[in-house]
Amino acid sequence: MEEILNRYRDRSYLIEAIHDILDEKDEKSLTDDEIKKIARHFKINTAEVLGVLTFYTMFSVKWKVKHTIRICNSPACYIKGAKELVTFLKNYLGCDKNNIGGNGSFLVEEVECLGLCDVAPAVMIDDKVFGNLNKEKLKKIIEENK
Amino acid sequence: MGIKVKVDGKEYTAERETNLLEFLRSIGKDIPSLCYHPKISETGSCRLCLVKVNGKVVTSCTQKVADSLEVTTNDEEISILRKGVFELLVHNLNADCDSCSIDGLCEVQDLAQKLDVSLTGKKVDGLIDATSPVLQYDPNKCVKCYRCIKACQEIQGKGVLSFINRGGEVRVAAGFGSWETSECDGCGECIQICPTGALVEKSVLKTQKMLPFEKFRTTCIYCGVGCQIDVWVKGGKILKVEGADEIPNRGSLCVKGRFGFDGVFKPDRLKYPLIKENGIFKQSSWDEALNLIAQKLSKIKDKYGADSICGLSSAKCTNEENYIFQKFMRATIGTNNVDHCARLCHASTVAGLMMSFGSGAMTNSIDELEQSDVILVTGSNTTEAHPVISAFIKRAVIKNGAKLIVVDPRRIDLTRFATLHLQQKNGTDVAWLNGMMNVILNEGLEDREFIKERTEGFEEFRSVVNEYTPEKVEKITGIKKELIVEAARLFAKAKSASIVFAMGITQHTTGTDNVLSIANLAMLTGNVGKLYSGVNPLRGQNNVQGAGDVGALPNVLPGYQKVNDENRRKKFEEAWGVSLSGKSGLTVIEMMNAILEDKVKALFVMGENPALSDPNLKHVREALESVDFLVVQDIYLSETAEYADVVLPACSFLEKEGTFTNTERRILKVNKIFEPLGDSRTDWQIICDISTLMGYEMRYKSASEIMDEIASVTPIYGGFSYNRLDEKLQWPIWSKEHKGTKFLHKDGFTRGKGKFVPVDYINPAEMPNDDYPLILSTGRILYHYHTGTISRRSDYLTEYINEPFIEVHPEDAKECGVKSGDLVRVTTNRGSIVLKALVCNVVFKGSVFIPFHFKEAAANLLTNDALDPIAKIPEFKVASAKCRVEKV
């Protein structure tokens, strides 16, 4: 982690640093201790790191899960039926109130535009993207990525 | 040059680049706003201050006055927009004003009325954060205006707060999401700037409705900054304390000033005089107590002479009280045995700067620090001991790009803002200062003109400094020679450079030498007698400057006029109508020694606590135990009062009139807000009564009358009187017309020419050895103040911290097998205490640090009472270098 941080000196690289750190980790979230280390490195306070982490939905800080499924609910995907996909997915995985399902291995998040409007509706599972979805296709992808 | 601006069809003149919103308000336009505040940078997010500029709708707070502006401040479109924006702002707000304590004091409430929007209470499910000891955050009352976040960052330089989450869930958070996990130190700047009831003091929450209440202005007692405070009072109780937006603190306060005054009114306050009979205190009447004191003191004076009586005046009391006390000792008793705790803090500053410049006070004003190009802070943990001044220093760095050099053995908070941190071994200050000056001279960076025109003694000084090469200095101090060179260049090349120092420089057996070296550095680089450049000792107690000014010192009369100067003394003999002793009196530590040598029979203590504050406490306590007659005047039964024969109840600063002189020589008013508690009386009234009983009549109608007398005998206060209080003058104030002095030594030094006094390095009185391998240093922490008489009675301050601890370096801890939280025994050859270990790298390897506020593990049982030969200041900071940490 220190090696990654040392690549970035300036506060404006906070997001890049967090990305790199999360890439190296199995659990895609940061512990309090790690947040503290990042804050100290950039000479900022922990709340500022937390602010960035909680603002960008791509950074998951709350839950420790194996996979994060991000469904786009921006206009293009919405028109193409994203809302129904969300309902389907949550039912299919049996999500709880925190949107965790599939026996604790999937977190379902509704996110803003993924930049995949041409293949709407689209989802991202971890760092892979999938487009032109319907319920059957989505079910298949989930099974393949379990 | 002003330019023309057209507002609502009328022409006005405005300064270019002025903030448009400020300008419009200055010409009487009522423009609503929420996120804008003059003390922080513009945010432009609330959109309430919309106006039309040349037909286009813009936020006026983010606009600057420029050429050919035509502004419309209100029309139908603007008012619809403002109202719509406001409705959006409050739509998710729980505006439950009826059950809110700040009902009637809320900016959102005001705006709703102005914009004709009705507010309602709503059930919103944001989690309230009440984890801070002093404040509560309610996200459901928060309008997300950014003011608290910016105030924390831009005014206080702390940046503890941030927004977290997004969309409707946005909230202000500290640390990992709750206040208790954060770096927040409770200064409360965020509360003061919050426009709603989102951030409020916990004390306020105890009141159902704050309105109606009364507001009183006075001066804070928690340090030498002299912050102006507004005390909000309801039903005879303090509702809350707010920083007054004026000189010197500009609205800012620290946690003690804002939350620490509940400690003044605890049930164990002394309410009537106490006389000790057979070892037990018994309540007495004032008549009985005062007569007893007058008789005893007269008897001792007759039998053993006036010099067998000593008095400790108090840096906590007002100027008027200190003046009366020293007059009592000198005129009534007839001795110069009067001193106060300045002896333990800045005696060496006064001695050193008197030799170099002719005046021992801070040369510049606090607000000048913000404009300095380079600030050298040494031996001052400013963030903890003078929190509001540290905010000025932090702003200098953050806002104005100043360079900060910190020279301190500990990694103090300010090092986060420093360009350079030089970590010297305790007590090696003369060496690094000489080292820096050696580099400056070698590289020809000195200010030759200043040296030639304004100073003397340069050549002799130069020959001493020549010896201190960076290599030699590295060996003595442990500071890498490259750092010394870099610091020297940075300091010498600055346009304006200010030196800030405190106890880390003065509390040494070489304290005076350290101060002389600092003065040398300032003169060598021409950084004194100028705006933004100077030598700035930060005074620790609220009125330690004033107590010295009005003569509560054994060698000088009011205004630093030497007692052995016959002409000056004669002036006082005439004014006071008695003959005065020309023999310098005893200093604090010398008094204790003289008691044990049986030379001193009586000690009169006004508002000081030597039984906890002085070094080598065992010795001090023996003296207090054995002195024939001890009188203590205080607001609580202090550790010292427990040894007393008679205890007199004084009233607190909230119950009396007077003035304090702050660290920048500014005379500030103390106002009476409450009636004296119980039978307590002001210190000056008590002393006057005793004096009158002893046959020297002292009768004054008011503090103001005493100040007039002070002014008549003290040239530096000469032009001052209570009708000039609003001017907030800084001494010297030579005459009724004189406007006071912002910075000293402008055209010439007080003594004429500045004097270079060459100084050689000498080791501290004690050095680590095989038996006691660690260096012990002592000091203050933010949450407590001195012996804790008031701060440790505060419910809020004690929630932050209420037990003694010792900072130990991780490597030393490993060697002793100590973990954080373990109880350890710390021993020097004077005593031993047991306290909790805090393993951290604030201290360097081989050194430990203990705060001195805690009586249950009094650091001063360990400290050395070896004295500086000139200033008689004890070596609190290293002398106890022999120290052993053992696990218990």
Side-chain angles (χ1 to χ4, degrees):
Chain A
M1 177 161 165
E2 256 156 51
E3 200 186 299
I4 296 172
L5 284 174
N6 282 333
R7 280 185 236 150
Y8 304 106
R9 280 272 142 228
D10 188 323
R11 154 75 178 82
S12 48
Y13 292 103
L14 177 60
I15 293 174
E16 279 79 354
I18 297 173
H19 269 303
D20 289 3
I21 291 165
L22 287 175
D23 284 350
E24 298 275 308
K25 290 187 68 169
D26 292 334
E27 284 168 352
K28 302 296 180 204
S29 68
L30 294 172
T31 62
D32 284 359
D33 215 35
E34 287 164 334
I35 293 176
K36 215 178 194 167
K37 267 190 195 146
I38 297 171
R40 206 173 288 160
H41 176 81
F42 289 109
K43 292 191 176 172
I44 54 180
N45 285 305
T46 47
E48 200 172 334
V49 181
L50 196 68
V52 170
L53 283 171
T54 53
F55 181 82
Y56 295 102
T57 47
M58 303 287 276
F59 295 138
S60 157
V61 278
K62 286 182 198 145
W63 318 110
K64 293 187 169 75
V65 289
K66 218 165 139 192
H67 302 292
T68 306
I69 305 176
R70 297 187 167 92
I71 303 195
C72 173
N73 64 6
S74 287
C77 289
Y78 186 85
I79 292 163
K80 293 281 241 168
K83 199 80 207 165
E84 288 85 61
L85 279 186
V86 172
T87 319
F88 163 75
L89 191 61
K90 285 186 181 170
N91 276 334
Y92 180 71
L93 293 170
C95 285
D96 60 15
K97 63 178 187 349
N98 296 319
N99 295 325
I100 293 174
N103 294 325
S105 54
F106 285 100
L107 169 68
V108 179
E109 278 184 357
E110 292 174 56
V111 298
E112 304 307 325
C113 187
L114 293 168
L116 299 166
C117 309
D118 54 333
V119 291
V123 307
M124 234 180 126
I125 301 180
D126 300 329
D127 51 3
K128 280 183 260 173
V129 294
F130 305 91
N132 289 324
L133 294 172
N134 54 36
K135 288 177 193 168
E136 278 64 43
K137 270 195 191 167
L138 186 57
K139 197 164 125 186
K140 209 175 139 216
I141 294 166
I142 298 287
E143 289 307 318
E144 283 167 3
N145 282 281
K146 247 182 180 165
Chain B
M1 256 286 281
I3 53 169
K4 297 249 180 297
V5 181
K6 210 165 178 187
V7 182
D8 296 336
K10 235 175 115 180
E11 243 180 38
Y12 296 87
T13 316
E15 287 296 318
R16 198 186 293 275
E17 291 292 298
T18 318
N19 179 296
L20 183 61
L21 176 60
E22 286 285 335
F23 168 70
L24 294 173
R25 282 183 175 165
S26 75
I27 57 169
K29 300 288 175 189
D30 186 15
I31 315 246
S33 76
L34 257 182
C35 70
Y36 176 77
H37 194 281
K39 282 187 168 178
I40 53 176
S41 62
E42 302 86 5
T43 308
S45 73
C46 78
R47 324 299 294 173
L48 285 174
C49 66
L50 294 173
V51 294
K52 278 186 188 163
V53 173
N54 302 341
K56 219 172 106 188
V57 179
V58 297
T59 47
S60 57
C61 73
T62 56
Q63 286 283 313
K64 299 255 188 285
V65 170
D67 284 316
S68 55
L69 283 193
E70 227 183 291
V71 185
T72 311
T73 59
N74 209 345
D75 62 15
E76 207 188 330
E77 190 188 353
I78 292 172
S79 56
I80 289 173
L81 279 173
R82 280 182 189 157
K83 189 170 172 177
V85 163
F86 187 74
E87 278 169 347
L88 281 174
L89 267 174
V90 298
H91 105 277
N92 223 6
L93 202 69
N94 178 21
D96 188 10
C97 305
D98 289 340
S99 64
C100 183
S101 4
I102 73 155
D103 182 17
L105 300 162
C106 171
E107 286 182 38
V108 171
Q109 227 179 354
D110 279 355
L111 285 170
Q113 214 164 32
K114 264 184 209 160
L115 299 167
D116 195 25
V117 174
S118 62
L119 294 173
T120 48
K122 290 189 191 77
K123 256 197 111 68
V124 203
D125 50 4
L127 221 55
I128 291 178
D129 185 349
T131 59
S132 157
V134 294
L135 61 85
Q136 176 186 293
Y137 171 67
D138 181 349
N140 311 316
K141 290 181 178 172
C142 172
V143 288
K144 284 87 184 176
C145 65
Y146 229 123
R147 268 155 65 168
C148 55
I149 296 174
K150 286 194 166 181
C152 188
Q153 171 64 27
E154 296 175 12
I155 302 175
Q156 285 284 341
K158 291 173 185 156
V160 171
L161 306 178
S162 177
F163 280 133
I164 62 165
N165 303 332
R166 57 191 289 171
E169 282 168 36
V170 166
R171 60 184 278 146
V172 175
F176 301 109
S178 67
W179 244 268
E180 65 181 345
T181 60
S182 77
E183 307 84 347
C184 172
D185 66 7
C187 74
E189 193 80 51
C190 56
I191 306 175
Q192 191 156 328
I193 208 163
C194 177
T196 75
L199 280 162
V200 285
E201 298 88 348
K202 281 192 168 165
S203 63
V204 163
L205 292 171
K206 290 180 191 157
T207 325
Q208 279 195 328
K209 290 274 173 233
M210 285 183 86
L211 280 173
F213 63 89
E214 283 182 284
K215 209 151 97 171
F216 301 92
R217 176 74 42 90
T218 194
T219 304
C220 178
I221 46 156
Y222 272 120
C223 77
V225 179
C227 290
Q228 296 299 289
I229 53 175
D230 283 329
V231 184
W232 301 30
V233 177
K234 183 175 182 142
K237 286 209 170 97
I238 298 178
L239 270 179
K240 67 173 218 168
V241 173
E242 210 173 63
D245 194 5
E246 45 173 290
I247 294 171
N249 52 312
R250 296 279 174 217
S252 293
L253 290 179
C254 73
V255 63
K256 295 190 289 288
R258 200 180 294 272
F259 301 105
F261 293 132
D262 61 322
V264 174
F265 295 112
K266 291 291 161 178
D268 59 335
R269 261 283 293 275
L270 293 169
K271 295 181 195 75
Y272 36 76
L274 300 170
I275 295 174
K276 202 181 259 169
E277 278 170 32
N278 304 321
I280 298 162
F281 282 120
K282 290 214 172 102
Q283 182 177 344
S284 89
S285 70
W286 273 106
D287 278 349
E288 191 187 351
L290 294 180
N291 277 312
L292 177 71
I293 294 167
Q295 279 165 18
K296 279 268 191 183
L297 290 181
S298 302
K299 224 182 252 170
I300 290 169
K301 183 181 162 184
D302 290 345
K303 197 163 172 196
Y304 302 101
D307 285 341
S308 67
I309 301 173
C310 290
L312 287 180
S313 197
S314 173
K316 288 231 82 65
C317 291
T318 62
N319 285 323
E320 293 76 5
E321 287 163 341
N322 276 287
Y323 175 81
I324 291 297
F325 190 87
Q326 62 86 35
K327 186 176 172 186
F328 167 72
M329 291 307 294
R330 293 192 157 113
T332 317
I333 307 279
T335 176
N336 284 314
N337 288 340
V338 55
D339 203 4
H340 70 285
C341 67
R343 185 66 49 206
L344 310 175
C345 62
H346 272 299
S348 38
T349 301
V350 177
L353 293 187
M354 277 285 182
M355 280 194 249
S356 300
F357 302 157
S359 171
M362 188 161 160
T363 60
N364 297 57
S365 307
I366 294 168
D367 64 358
E368 286 175 48
L369 285 174
E370 202 172 333
Q371 311 299 331
S372 291
D373 289 320
V374 170
I375 305 172
L376 169 67
V377 176
T378 179
S380 159
N381 187 357
T382 324
T383 314
E384 309 227 21
H386 301 87
V388 172
I389 291 185
S390 94
F392 279 84
I393 295 173
K394 288 175 185 175
R395 287 200 296 272
V397 175
I398 299 170
K399 265 184 160 167
N400 302 335
K403 298 276 187 274
L404 176 64
I405 306 170
V406 174
V407 188
D408 201 293
R410 294 171 72 220
R411 195 183 291 172
I412 55 173
D413 172 68
L414 274 184
T415 57
R416 293 193 295 134
F417 299 81
T419 307
L420 295 172
H421 177 206
L422 280 56
Q423 214 168 357
Q424 86 277 37
K425 277 187 205 140
N426 306 46
T428 59
D429 302 284
V430 168
W432 68 259
L433 279 156
N434 276 350
M436 265 177 79
M437 293 189 278
N438 178 292
V439 175
I440 290 169
L441 283 167
N442 266 335
E443 302 194 358
L445 298 171
E446 73 272 23
D447 186 337
R448 282 183 205 127
E449 201 188 313
F450 186 91
I451 295 166
K452 195 171 148 235
E453 300 292 322
R454 303 274 312 261
T455 67
E456 60 191 23
F458 177 69
E459 287 310 320
E460 203 187 327
F461 152 80
R462 178 180 203 134
S463 65
V464 170
V465 167
N466 271 342
E467 315 257 306
Y468 289 83
T469 57
E471 291 74 23
K472 179 179 169 176
V473 171
E474 178 173 335
K475 270 192 206 120
I476 302 172
T477 62
I479 305 170
K480 289 220 158 49
K481 58 176 192 263
E482 295 80 13
L483 278 175
I484 293 166
V485 173
E486 212 178 319
R489 288 180 188 154
L490 191 60
F491 188 84
K493 286 180 183 168
K495 264 195 289 184
S496 57
S498 219
I499 307 174
V500 171
F501 70 94
M503 256 71 304
I505 284 294
T506 61
Q507 289 178 335
H508 293 281
T509 44
T510 56
T512 309
D513 290 351
N514 293 345
V515 174
L516 289 169
S517 301
I518 282 182
N520 289 344
L521 176 62
M523 289 189 289
L524 184 68
T525 52
N527 277 311
V528 64
K530 292 178 192 162
L531 201 62
Y532 316 139
S533 316
V535 175
N536 296 303
L538 303 183
R539 309 300 304 251
Q541 298 242 25
N542 51 318
N543 196 34
V544 67
Q545 184 64 52
D549 294 346
V550 300
L553 294 169
N555 59 335
V556 288
L557 291 154
Y560 303 99
Q561 305 178 75
K562 294 219 160 68
V563 291
N564 55 16
D565 179 333
E566 218 165 299
N567 289 331
R568 305 286 180 114
R569 204 170 67 238
K570 204 168 250 166
K571 211 178 74 181
F572 282 90
E573 288 179 338
E574 274 165 27
W576 294 347
V578 286
S579 68
L580 296 171
S581 162
K583 185 180 138 210
S584 278
L586 298 174
T587 60
V588 174
I589 308 295
E590 289 169 331
M591 288 178 191
M592 300 301 165
N593 294 338
I595 290 171
L596 289 172
E597 287 160 17
D598 216 22
K599 286 180 193 150
V600 166
K601 304 287 180 188
L603 179 64
F604 197 123
V605 181
M606 172 173 87
E608 294 231 333
N609 194 6
L612 203 52
S613 66
D614 291 10
N616 195 1
L617 280 185
K618 196 167 154 269
H619 179 79
V620 173
R621 289 173 183 177
E622 272 167 24
L624 293 172
E625 185 76 60
S626 68
V627 69
D628 287 1
F629 188 58
L630 175 65
V631 182
V632 176
Q633 198 166 298
D634 210 314
I635 67 169
Y636 286 106
L637 195 71
S638 66
E639 288 71 23
T640 307
E642 281 169 26
Y643 292 93
D645 296 289
V646 184
V647 179
L648 301 173
C651 47
S652 77
F653 82 112
L654 294 169
E655 299 148 47
K656 66 188 175 193
E657 300 270 325
T659 56
F660 294 151
T661 303
N662 79 348
T663 186
E664 52 173 355
R665 301 169 275 108
R666 196 183 297 282
I667 306 173
L668 300 162
K669 183 75 202 294
V670 178
N671 284 314
K672 181 174 167 179
I673 300 175
F674 299 99
E675 285 304 316
L677 196 80
D679 264 352
S680 67
R681 295 182 183 174
T682 64
D683 292 280
W684 66 265
Q685 278 170 328
I686 301 170
I687 305 289
C688 286
D689 287 347
I690 297 172
S691 180
T692 307
L693 283 172
M694 288 179 72
Y696 181 77
E697 206 160 306
M698 280 205 232
R699 291 188 205 277
Y700 300 90
K701 283 198 271 315
S702 63
S704 163
E705 193 185 337
I706 302 172
M707 180 49 83
D708 291 340
E709 184 175 318
I710 296 174
S712 71
V713 292
T714 313
I716 51 174
Y717 282 57
F720 188 74
S721 68
Y722 270 32
N723 52 29
R724 297 189 76 185
L725 274 167
D726 289 343
E727 293 176 56
K728 294 225 171 67
L729 299 170
Q730 288 167 283
W731 67 254
I733 311 155
W734 301 117
S735 68
K736 292 275 173 221
E737 294 73 39
H738 192 231
K739 293 285 178 208
T741 311
K742 188 173 166 66
F743 60 94
L744 300 175
H745 318 304
K746 189 178 172 196
D747 301 312
F749 285 98
T750 310
R751 69 180 292 278
K753 283 205 166 183
K755 188 170 166 59
F756 279 102
V757 183
V759 189
D760 256 315
Y761 169 73
I762 306 168
N763 276 338
E766 279 186 352
M767 295 290 275
N769 58 29
D770 291 348
D771 289 339
Y772 300 98
L774 299 172
I775 300 174
L776 165 76
S777 175
T778 64
R780 280 204 219 169
I781 58 169
L782 173 68
Y783 299 103
H784 288 288
Y785 183 75
H786 283 222
T787 60
T789 310
I790 298 175
S791 68
R792 291 203 67 197
R793 282 182 170 85
S794 161
D795 298 337
Y796 299 102
L797 299 177
T798 50
E799 207 176 313
Y800 278 102
I801 190 159
N802 199 26
E803 61 175 351
F805 61 89
I806 176 170
E807 289 177 356
V808 186
H809 190 272
E811 283 180 43
D812 294 324
K814 214 166 156 192
E815 260 170 46
C816 312
V818 169
K819 291 191 305 298
S820 269
D822 285 352
L823 281 177
V824 296
R825 177 177 298 280
V826 188
T827 313
T828 68
N829 61 9
R830 284 163 295 278
S832 159
I833 57 175
V834 174
L835 70 179
K836 265 191 189 165
L838 175 68
V839 178
C840 59
N841 53 13
V842 173
V843 288
F844 66 81
K845 186 177 167 357
S847 71
V848 290
F849 172 85
I850 306 177
F852 69 89
H853 313 288
F854 302 96
K855 63 178 173 205
E856 54 271 48
N860 283 324
L861 284 166
L862 309 177
T863 49
N864 193 351
D865 52 357
L867 299 183
D868 175 294
I870 301 164
K872 307 285 163 73
I873 192 170
E875 191 151 51
F876 286 103
K877 294 296 186 205
V878 243
S880 40
K882 304 175 187 170
C883 163
R884 184 159 49 196
V885 175
E886 305 157 35
K887 204 166 158 181
V888 289

